[in-house]
Structure formats: C-alpha cells, structure tokens
Amino acid sequence: MAKLWQKAYTLDSLMEEFSVSSDYLLDQELVIADALASIAHARTLEKLSLLSEAELSLVEEGLREIILLRQEERFVIRREDEDCHTAIEAYLTEEKGEVGKKVHTGRSRNDQVQTALRLWMREFATRLAEQTLSLCDRLFAFAEDHAKIPMPGRTHMQIAMPSSVGLWAASFAEQLLDSVRRLVDLDVILDQSPLGSAASYGSPLALDRSFSASEMGFAKVQNNVLYANNSRGFFEAMVLDCCDYIALTLSKLAQDLMLFTLPELGYFSLPSELLTGSSIMPQKKNPDGLELARSRAALISGAATQVKSIIRSLPSGYNRDFQDTKGALFAGAKATWQLVGIFIRMVERLEVHEEQLLKACTAELYATDVVLHRVAKGELFRDVYREVGLHLDAVEGLDPVASIEERTSLGTSGNLALEEQHQAARALSATMKSRLDGYQAAYQRLCGLREVAVVLY
Ligand code: ARG
C-alpha cells in the first residue's frame, strides 16, 4: 500500500526507517481505538451526506472486521504503512472498495491519532485507578488484620516510637488513595473529544463534532481545534505524572519491605515463589521484585520527563516530534500497570512475624512515652526529657500492645479510622466500574460487539 500522502516520488529508505521508527509496532496499541473513532467519523460524514447509508454500513463492517482481527492479533501494520491510520484505510479500500477512499474526508492523521490516544488514555486512567484501588483494598485489609501488632516506628531509619503493622500498611493505602483521586479527576480532562480538529485548524466541512463526541461516549468536545492538537503530549504527561505518583509510593513500599524482610530484622517475609535465586550461591533468595519496583519507578518518572521534554518547545500546530511521545506513554503506562499488579500479589502473600516485631520493640522505643506519661502527671516536659535522656539505661520498656492502643488521637495506631478510609476506596472503585461500563456501552453502540476494550491488558 502506498503512503496516504504518496505523490510521484519514493521516500528515501533511510528516511523512512528514521521517520517511522517503531511507530508501526507501537500503533498496534491504537488499532481498536482508531477503528472505533473511525466509525464515529464515518457516521458524522453520513450525516453530512458525504457517505450514503450503504457506504456507511460497508465502512462499519470493515472496521468491525479490523477490531476482530486485532483482538486475534492478526491485524498487520507494516513499516511501509507508517502507522495504523494508513493500514486501516488501506484495509477498507482493499476489502470494501472505493468507499475506503472516502473515510479520510475532513480528517487528518493528526486528529485521528489524538482521538485514538484520547480513547486509550481515558480507558487506561480508569482501569489504572481501579487496579490501584484493589491494591488499596488489600492494603487496608492487611492493616485491619494486623492492626494490633506492634512494630517499631523509625525516623532516620533509627528506632523512634511505638507503631503498628496496621499504621504502617494503611499509610501506603491512604497515599495510593490520594494518587487515585488525581487519576479520577484527570478524567474530566481526558473525557473530551479532539475529533474534527483535523490537521490543527478544523475544516470547511460542517462536521458535527458534538455528534461524533457523543457517539464515542465523550462527555464533551475539546473546543478549540488548535488546542485539541497542541494537547498532544500534554495529556500524556498528565497521565504519566499520575503513574509517577503511584510509582513513588510503591518504590517507598518496596524499600521498606526490602529492609523489613531482611533476615536480620525478619518483621515480614515473602514466600519463595515471589523471590528469585542466585546462579552461584545456593542459599540465596533475593527480592528482585522489590528491587525492580524501585528501578521501574525511576523509568516511569523518566517517561513523564521524556514527554515533557519533547513538547516543551514545540511551536503551535502538529509537529512530527509528537510521534516520539507515544513510546514513552505506552512504556510508562504498562510499567505502572505491572507494578501495581505485582504489589497486589506481594501484599496478598506477605507474611507477618509477630514474635520478631515484638522482639524489635526494645526499651528505647518507649523513651518518649515514658517522658510524656510523666508530663501527663504534671512534670515539665523539658526537665523530664533531659532526665530520661541522661539515664537511658534506666528506661524500662512498656507493654507494646497497650502502647499502641492507648494512642487515641485520629490516625494514630489506636484510632486508625481504617473503616472510613477503606469505605472511601470502595466508593471510588464503584465509580470507576460504572465509568468503564459507560465506555463499554459506547463501544458497543459503535461497533455492535460486546467485550471490546481499547487497552489490551
Ligand atoms: N504516526 C503519526 C503520529 O503519531 C501520525 C500523525 C502523522 N501526521 C503527520 N502529519 N505526519 O504523530
């Protein structure tokens, strides 16, 4: 198939390799989204009588075939095609005849790729929110199950004050919950349709942009056509920033777990099937999953930076540089998806060693509590602080369980308010499920197929 822009010359082969790069491979991610958006566009053309009813149904039939082929991993995009948009138009022309030559009317690959990416990011953000909420759910459940198990609280990594396994685990659940809230809010921005913005400046055809937006289940049209194109990369950066926040939290959790599962501390352990061996040292069981969580977090952060670096100084309107934001989006998104998934598995199987935790609650852990108990009976804080500090050897340990239970102010180990937090996570999860149902319903109205997903993981 010739390129969509083919004229009377052949592109230099090195320039083709350089400019297409891996886009034709990456575009497999966008095939279903582009086919769905193309149905919405074809329906808009039919409303303007630029396609007949019969032509529209031929186009819809062809696009439905493409969706099914992609689902079976049989839709082919070759380097010569440049991208999925070309391969899709070529398929329609080959299989359905002349009508294939009409579907690009009033559209550019610029708004086409924007629309496909928008559908992709909207679904990804919702699914990532849902997946992260199921990790929160497990962390809250873990915190509830171990709410009464004492654990040394540390600052500067040194023994600091009494804490609990519940406090530790729920801190990550609450932090993730706040990152999910950002993802949930991002939907307002992602849920707008760039279709009809064409090359960046719209077209003289009276394309009903509201109609195509609602056909795809978008809440609204992204109004300004130039902005619709200029937001390429900008929205990707927002999605990757949300990924970055989630990864930052999980990297910290990984670091804590590497420390707390050290045999020398032994607070927790991971089962063998989540640990890896060494090729030379027969005794080794390594937490590679935790280490890679740390490095993946760095890669995800790098993906967000990559996208911003590419778009930072681009002039208005489409520029080919945008194409290079695609790989970073897909790589960062997939890494985040897998990261959350692996933590679901690790939290589910994390074993807690109460006796080790109790052993770690040494007398020094209670030095501040001893001071504050005396202050509560009327002594002056600074005086007692100094006296206890000068005679640390005399500090006697307190009852570990009583110490965590006596803390009653909100959010402390004796009053974690886990139920309220857990409930908030469940409510958000229900909202995400209904959003996904809404997208599914829109896809089904477009292509007549059930169980269509744009993001294939
Ligand atoms: N593969 C291209 C991209 O991702 C599609 C748009 C091409 N547009 C163009 N004017 N060359 O950006």
Side-chain angles (χ1 to χ4, degrees), residues 127-170:
R127 289 194 33 205
L128 180 64
E130 216 201 351
Q131 162 105 325
T132 308
L133 286 165
S134 46
L135 175 56
C136 288
D137 193 62
R138 282 163 177 89
L139 279 165
F140 279 127
F142 180 87
E144 273 152 17
D145 290 348
H146 304 96
K148 294 280 159 64
I149 298 188
M151 177 176 179
R154 292 167 182 270
T155 63
H156 311 266
M157 278 178 75
Q158 311 293 312
I159 296 288
M161 287 182 82
S163 177
S164 67
V165 174
L167 177 66
W168 172 79

Tab-separated table of all heavy atoms in Angstrom, residues 127-170:
chain	number	residue	atom	x	y	z
A	127	ARG	N	-8.892	2.323	34.267
A	127	ARG	CA	-8.507	0.972	34.684
A	127	ARG	C	-7.363	0.986	35.683
A	127	ARG	O	-7.317	0.176	36.605
A	127	ARG	CB	-8.172	0.121	33.458
A	127	ARG	CG	-9.460	-0.172	32.697
A	127	ARG	CD	-9.375	-1.251	31.668
A	127	ARG	NE	-8.467	-2.317	31.988
A	127	ARG	CZ	-7.886	-3.077	31.078
A	127	ARG	NH1	-8.118	-2.846	29.798
A	127	ARG	NH2	-7.096	-4.048	31.423
A	128	LEU	N	-6.433	1.914	35.497
A	128	LEU	CA	-5.334	2.006	36.470
A	128	LEU	C	-5.881	2.440	37.836
A	128	LEU	O	-5.445	1.934	38.872
A	128	LEU	CB	-4.260	2.986	35.997
A	128	LEU	CG	-3.076	3.130	36.948
A	128	LEU	CD1	-2.295	1.813	37.081
A	128	LEU	CD2	-2.129	4.250	36.506
A	129	ALA	N	-6.853	3.347	37.822
A	129	ALA	CA	-7.465	3.772	39.088
A	129	ALA	C	-8.096	2.562	39.773
A	129	ALA	O	-7.881	2.323	40.967
A	129	ALA	CB	-8.514	4.854	38.830
A	130	GLU	N	-8.815	1.772	38.996
A	130	GLU	CA	-9.481	0.598	39.558
A	130	GLU	C	-8.471	-0.413	40.103
A	130	GLU	O	-8.633	-0.952	41.189
A	130	GLU	CB	-10.326	-0.051	38.457
A	130	GLU	CG	-11.603	-0.619	38.977
A	130	GLU	CD	-12.180	-1.664	38.043
A	130	GLU	OE1	-11.693	-1.827	36.917
A	130	GLU	OE2	-13.137	-2.319	38.485
A	131	GLN	N	-7.426	-0.634	39.337
A	131	GLN	CA	-6.396	-1.603	39.741
A	131	GLN	C	-5.669	-1.114	41.004
A	131	GLN	O	-5.370	-1.889	41.902
A	131	GLN	CB	-5.424	-1.774	38.546
A	131	GLN	CG	-4.089	-2.380	38.845
A	131	GLN	CD	-4.003	-3.825	38.379
A	131	GLN	OE1	-4.994	-4.557	38.437
A	131	GLN	NE2	-2.845	-4.251	37.936
A	132	THR	N	-5.408	0.186	41.062
A	132	THR	CA	-4.736	0.739	42.241
A	132	THR	C	-5.659	0.657	43.449
A	132	THR	O	-5.214	0.410	44.574
A	132	THR	CB	-4.291	2.197	41.973
A	132	THR	OG1	-3.550	2.223	40.752
A	132	THR	CG2	-3.415	2.729	43.093
A	133	LEU	N	-6.961	0.839	43.195
A	133	LEU	CA	-7.919	0.712	44.303
A	133	LEU	C	-7.973	-0.727	44.810
A	133	LEU	O	-8.170	-0.953	46.000
A	133	LEU	CB	-9.307	1.185	43.860
A	133	LEU	CG	-9.430	2.709	43.722
A	133	LEU	CD1	-10.676	3.092	42.947
A	133	LEU	CD2	-9.408	3.394	45.084
A	134	SER	N	-7.766	-1.702	43.936
A	134	SER	CA	-7.765	-3.052	44.500
A	134	SER	C	-6.504	-3.311	45.309
A	134	SER	O	-6.549	-4.068	46.284
A	134	SER	CB	-8.081	-4.166	43.497
A	134	SER	OG	-7.389	-4.028	42.339
A	135	LEU	N	-5.418	-2.634	44.974
A	135	LEU	CA	-4.241	-2.708	45.848
A	135	LEU	C	-4.534	-2.027	47.192
A	135	LEU	O	-4.201	-2.563	48.262
A	135	LEU	CB	-3.027	-2.072	45.153
A	135	LEU	CG	-1.746	-1.967	45.977
A	135	LEU	CD1	-1.306	-3.332	46.525
A	135	LEU	CD2	-0.609	-1.353	45.145
A	136	CYS	N	-5.188	-0.862	47.147
A	136	CYS	CA	-5.582	-0.176	48.397
A	136	CYS	C	-6.434	-1.101	49.242
A	136	CYS	O	-6.256	-1.210	50.461
A	136	CYS	CB	-6.434	1.064	48.097
A	136	CYS	SG	-5.517	2.420	47.403
A	137	ASP	N	-7.382	-1.754	48.578
A	137	ASP	CA	-8.291	-2.659	49.265
A	137	ASP	C	-7.511	-3.733	50.037
A	137	ASP	O	-7.769	-3.987	51.210
A	137	ASP	CB	-9.169	-3.303	48.183
A	137	ASP	CG	-10.356	-4.024	48.762
A	137	ASP	OD1	-11.168	-3.347	49.401
A	137	ASP	OD2	-10.431	-5.265	48.604
A	138	ARG	N	-6.522	-4.299	49.376
A	138	ARG	CA	-5.722	-5.334	50.045
A	138	ARG	C	-4.855	-4.756	51.156
A	138	ARG	O	-4.665	-5.388	52.196
A	138	ARG	CB	-4.858	-6.067	49.033
A	138	ARG	CG	-5.701	-7.066	48.267
A	138	ARG	CD	-4.996	-7.490	47.034
A	138	ARG	NE	-5.717	-8.503	46.300
A	138	ARG	CZ	-6.625	-8.242	45.369
A	138	ARG	NH1	-7.005	-7.016	45.119
A	138	ARG	NH2	-7.192	-9.224	44.695
A	139	LEU	N	-4.328	-3.567	50.936
A	139	LEU	CA	-3.511	-2.952	51.989
A	139	LEU	C	-4.363	-2.606	53.214
A	139	LEU	O	-3.925	-2.780	54.354
A	139	LEU	CB	-2.818	-1.701	51.454
A	139	LEU	CG	-1.539	-1.937	50.643
A	139	LEU	CD1	-1.155	-0.689	49.864
A	139	LEU	CD2	-0.377	-2.367	51.545
A	140	PHE	N	-5.578	-2.105	52.965
A	140	PHE	CA	-6.457	-1.806	54.099
A	140	PHE	C	-6.838	-3.095	54.837
A	140	PHE	O	-6.867	-3.127	56.065
A	140	PHE	CB	-7.723	-1.071	53.639
A	140	PHE	CG	-7.506	0.413	53.423
A	140	PHE	CD1	-7.856	1.019	52.221
A	140	PHE	CD2	-6.970	1.216	54.435
A	140	PHE	CE1	-7.657	2.385	52.015
A	140	PHE	CE2	-6.765	2.584	54.237
A	140	PHE	CZ	-7.114	3.161	53.016
A	141	ALA	N	-7.110	-4.155	54.067
A	141	ALA	CA	-7.471	-5.432	54.695
A	141	ALA	C	-6.289	-5.955	55.524
A	141	ALA	O	-6.464	-6.431	56.657
A	141	ALA	CB	-7.871	-6.442	53.620
A	142	PHE	N	-5.092	-5.831	54.975
A	142	PHE	CA	-3.874	-6.257	55.668
A	142	PHE	C	-3.702	-5.433	56.958
A	142	PHE	O	-3.390	-5.974	58.024
A	142	PHE	CB	-2.680	-6.056	54.722
A	142	PHE	CG	-1.353	-6.455	55.285
A	142	PHE	CD1	-0.896	-7.768	55.172
A	142	PHE	CD2	-0.533	-5.518	55.924
A	142	PHE	CE1	0.346	-8.136	55.691
A	142	PHE	CE2	0.699	-5.885	56.442
A	142	PHE	CZ	1.137	-7.196	56.316
A	143	ALA	N	-3.963	-4.127	56.842
A	143	ALA	CA	-3.846	-3.247	58.017
A	143	ALA	C	-4.870	-3.640	59.080
A	143	ALA	O	-4.561	-3.681	60.278
A	143	ALA	CB	-4.029	-1.791	57.598
A	144	GLU	N	-6.097	-3.940	58.640
A	144	GLU	CA	-7.142	-4.349	59.594
A	144	GLU	C	-6.746	-5.640	60.306
A	144	GLU	O	-6.848	-5.747	61.527
A	144	GLU	CB	-8.485	-4.547	58.860
A	144	GLU	CG	-9.297	-3.259	58.732
A	144	GLU	CD	-10.222	-3.235	57.494
A	144	GLU	OE1	-10.491	-4.310	56.914
A	144	GLU	OE2	-10.633	-2.124	57.112
A	145	ASP	N	-6.244	-6.597	59.527
A	145	ASP	CA	-5.862	-7.890	60.102
A	145	ASP	C	-4.710	-7.770	61.101
A	145	ASP	O	-4.551	-8.618	61.970
A	145	ASP	CB	-5.408	-8.865	58.996
A	145	ASP	CG	-6.574	-9.306	58.128
A	145	ASP	OD1	-7.736	-9.045	58.520
A	145	ASP	OD2	-6.315	-9.889	57.052
A	146	HIS	N	-3.868	-6.749	60.912
A	146	HIS	CA	-2.664	-6.633	61.751
A	146	HIS	C	-2.646	-5.331	62.543
A	146	HIS	O	-1.577	-4.830	62.901
A	146	HIS	CB	-1.407	-6.766	60.886
A	146	HIS	CG	-1.373	-8.031	60.096
A	146	HIS	ND1	-1.786	-8.115	58.791
A	146	HIS	CD2	-1.015	-9.294	60.454
A	146	HIS	CE1	-1.670	-9.366	58.368
A	146	HIS	NE2	-1.204	-10.103	59.357
A	147	ALA	N	-3.849	-4.816	62.800
A	147	ALA	CA	-3.953	-3.503	63.464
A	147	ALA	C	-3.350	-3.520	64.864
A	147	ALA	O	-2.834	-2.516	65.350
A	147	ALA	CB	-5.404	-3.053	63.510
A	148	LYS	N	-3.399	-4.664	65.514
A	148	LYS	CA	-2.948	-4.731	66.910
A	148	LYS	C	-1.536	-5.294	67.044
A	148	LYS	O	-1.104	-5.637	68.138
A	148	LYS	CB	-3.933	-5.612	67.707
A	148	LYS	CG	-5.330	-5.002	67.835
A	148	LYS	CD	-5.358	-3.953	68.948
A	148	LYS	CE	-6.504	-2.977	68.810
A	148	LYS	NZ	-7.822	-3.567	68.940
A	149	ILE	N	-0.847	-5.431	65.941
A	149	ILE	CA	0.513	-5.978	66.035
A	149	ILE	C	1.531	-4.838	66.120
A	149	ILE	O	1.640	-4.021	65.216
A	149	ILE	CB	0.812	-6.909	64.843
A	149	ILE	CG1	-0.174	-8.084	64.894
A	149	ILE	CG2	2.261	-7.401	64.877
A	149	ILE	CD1	0.092	-9.185	63.916
A	150	PRO	N	2.264	-4.777	67.229
A	150	PRO	CA	3.227	-3.683	67.421
A	150	PRO	C	4.394	-3.777	66.439
A	150	PRO	O	4.755	-4.859	65.995
A	150	PRO	CB	3.737	-3.885	68.847
A	150	PRO	CG	2.777	-4.817	69.487
A	150	PRO	CD	2.234	-5.681	68.400
A	151	MET	N	4.947	-2.624	66.154
A	151	MET	CA	6.079	-2.555	65.217
A	151	MET	C	6.870	-1.317	65.609
A	151	MET	O	6.259	-0.300	65.955
A	151	MET	CB	5.503	-2.392	63.807
A	151	MET	CG	6.500	-2.228	62.703
A	151	MET	SD	5.584	-2.188	61.121
A	151	MET	CE	6.947	-1.948	60.013
A	152	PRO	N	8.193	-1.372	65.569
A	152	PRO	CA	8.911	-0.142	65.909
A	152	PRO	C	8.710	0.906	64.815
A	152	PRO	O	8.820	0.587	63.631
A	152	PRO	CB	10.378	-0.573	65.959
A	152	PRO	CG	10.422	-2.011	65.624
A	152	PRO	CD	9.074	-2.483	65.225
A	153	GLY	N	8.391	2.118	65.208
A	153	GLY	CA	8.340	3.212	64.244
A	153	GLY	C	9.743	3.779	64.125
A	153	GLY	O	10.455	3.861	65.120
A	154	ARG	N	10.149	4.126	62.920
A	154	ARG	CA	11.515	4.611	62.724
A	154	ARG	C	11.523	6.008	62.113
A	154	ARG	O	10.663	6.340	61.305
A	154	ARG	CB	12.276	3.686	61.746
A	154	ARG	CG	12.542	2.309	62.301
A	154	ARG	CD	13.002	1.352	61.198
A	154	ARG	NE	13.203	0.026	61.780
A	154	ARG	CZ	14.359	-0.390	62.298
A	154	ARG	NH1	15.429	0.376	62.263
A	154	ARG	NH2	14.455	-1.590	62.831
A	155	THR	N	12.502	6.811	62.509
A	155	THR	CA	12.821	8.038	61.761
A	155	THR	C	14.330	8.003	61.575
A	155	THR	O	15.041	7.435	62.418
A	155	THR	CB	12.423	9.333	62.511
A	155	THR	OG1	13.173	9.418	63.717
A	155	THR	CG2	10.936	9.366	62.845
A	156	HIS	N	14.815	8.567	60.493
A	156	HIS	CA	16.236	8.453	60.133
A	156	HIS	C	16.654	6.987	60.117
A	156	HIS	O	17.806	6.662	60.388
A	156	HIS	CB	17.136	9.224	61.105
A	156	HIS	CG	16.697	10.635	61.358
A	156	HIS	ND1	17.179	11.713	60.659
A	156	HIS	CD2	15.769	11.130	62.216
A	156	HIS	CE1	16.590	12.817	61.089
A	156	HIS	NE2	15.724	12.489	62.032
A	157	MET	N	15.706	6.124	59.912
A	157	MET	CA	15.870	4.667	59.947
A	157	MET	C	16.132	4.118	61.355
A	157	MET	O	16.179	2.911	61.561
A	157	MET	CB	16.994	4.188	58.994
A	157	MET	CG	16.491	4.079	57.561
A	157	MET	SD	17.752	3.594	56.390
A	157	MET	CE	17.934	1.866	56.730
A	158	GLN	N	16.291	5.004	62.338
A	158	GLN	CA	16.584	4.556	63.704
A	158	GLN	C	15.267	4.318	64.459
A	158	GLN	O	14.244	4.904	64.130
A	158	GLN	CB	17.383	5.634	64.454
A	158	GLN	CG	18.586	6.182	63.708
A	158	GLN	CD	19.666	5.134	63.526
A	158	GLN	OE1	20.036	4.450	64.479
A	158	GLN	NE2	20.170	4.999	62.318
A	159	ILE	N	15.353	3.455	65.478
A	159	ILE	CA	14.196	3.187	66.329
A	159	ILE	C	13.672	4.518	66.897
A	159	ILE	O	14.435	5.301	67.473
A	159	ILE	CB	14.625	2.256	67.498
A	159	ILE	CG1	15.075	0.893	66.962
A	159	ILE	CG2	13.538	2.135	68.548
A	159	ILE	CD1	13.969	0.015	66.453
A	160	ALA	N	12.382	4.774	66.749
A	160	ALA	CA	11.851	6.082	67.164
A	160	ALA	C	10.734	5.957	68.201
A	160	ALA	O	10.938	6.225	69.387
A	160	ALA	CB	11.357	6.855	65.943
A	161	MET	N	9.551	5.526	67.772
A	161	MET	CA	8.399	5.465	68.684
A	161	MET	C	7.524	4.265	68.339
A	161	MET	O	7.587	3.738	67.238
A	161	MET	CB	7.586	6.767	68.579
A	161	MET	CG	8.296	7.940	69.238
A	161	MET	SD	7.319	9.454	69.173
A	161	MET	CE	6.219	9.234	70.551
A	162	PRO	N	6.665	3.862	69.276
A	162	PRO	CA	5.808	2.701	69.018
A	162	PRO	C	4.893	2.930	67.815
A	162	PRO	O	4.311	4.005	67.662
A	162	PRO	CB	4.969	2.567	70.303
A	162	PRO	CG	5.654	3.394	71.323
A	162	PRO	CD	6.445	4.435	70.610
A	163	SER	N	4.794	1.921	66.999
A	163	SER	CA	3.899	1.973	65.845
A	163	SER	C	3.252	0.596	65.714
A	163	SER	O	3.425	-0.255	66.605
A	163	SER	CB	4.705	2.339	64.592
A	163	SER	OG	3.885	2.337	63.447
A	164	SER	N	2.529	0.404	64.638
A	164	SER	CA	1.900	-0.909	64.444
A	164	SER	C	1.966	-1.275	62.975
A	164	SER	O	2.144	-0.411	62.106
A	164	SER	CB	0.444	-0.863	64.888
A	164	SER	OG	-0.299	-0.020	64.030
A	165	VAL	N	1.804	-2.564	62.715
A	165	VAL	CA	1.778	-3.026	61.328
A	165	VAL	C	0.600	-2.363	60.605
A	165	VAL	O	0.697	-1.967	59.438
A	165	VAL	CB	1.693	-4.573	61.278
A	165	VAL	CG1	1.524	-5.058	59.846
A	165	VAL	CG2	2.947	-5.187	61.906
A	166	GLY	N	-0.503	-2.188	61.320
A	166	GLY	CA	-1.678	-1.545	60.732
A	166	GLY	C	-1.384	-0.114	60.300
A	166	GLY	O	-1.750	0.305	59.200
A	167	LEU	N	-0.705	0.634	61.164
A	167	LEU	CA	-0.371	2.033	60.853
A	167	LEU	C	0.533	2.094	59.624
A	167	LEU	O	0.317	2.893	58.700
A	167	LEU	CB	0.318	2.682	62.057
A	167	LEU	CG	0.804	4.126	61.868
A	167	LEU	CD1	-0.361	5.080	61.682
A	167	LEU	CD2	1.649	4.582	63.054
A	168	TRP	N	1.526	1.216	59.617
A	168	TRP	CA	2.485	1.191	58.505
A	168	TRP	C	1.772	0.865	57.185
A	168	TRP	O	1.895	1.599	56.202
A	168	TRP	CB	3.584	0.156	58.817
A	168	TRP	CG	4.514	-0.107	57.687
A	168	TRP	CD1	5.563	0.666	57.303
A	168	TRP	CD2	4.461	-1.212	56.778
A	168	TRP	NE1	6.178	0.114	56.200
A	168	TRP	CE2	5.520	-1.047	55.868
A	168	TRP	CE3	3.632	-2.332	56.650
A	168	TRP	CZ2	5.754	-1.950	54.835
A	168	TRP	CZ3	3.870	-3.231	55.622
A	168	TRP	CH2	4.928	-3.034	54.735
A	169	ALA	N	0.989	-0.212	57.169
A	169	ALA	CA	0.351	-0.635	55.913
A	169	ALA	C	-0.673	0.391	55.432
A	169	ALA	O	-0.739	0.717	54.244
A	169	ALA	CB	-0.311	-2.005	56.101
A	170	ALA	N	-1.467	0.917	56.360
A	170	ALA	CA	-2.521	1.851	55.955
A	170	ALA	C	-1.935	3.170	55.455
A	170	ALA	O	-2.570	3.879	54.677
A	170	ALA	CB	-3.491	2.093	57.110
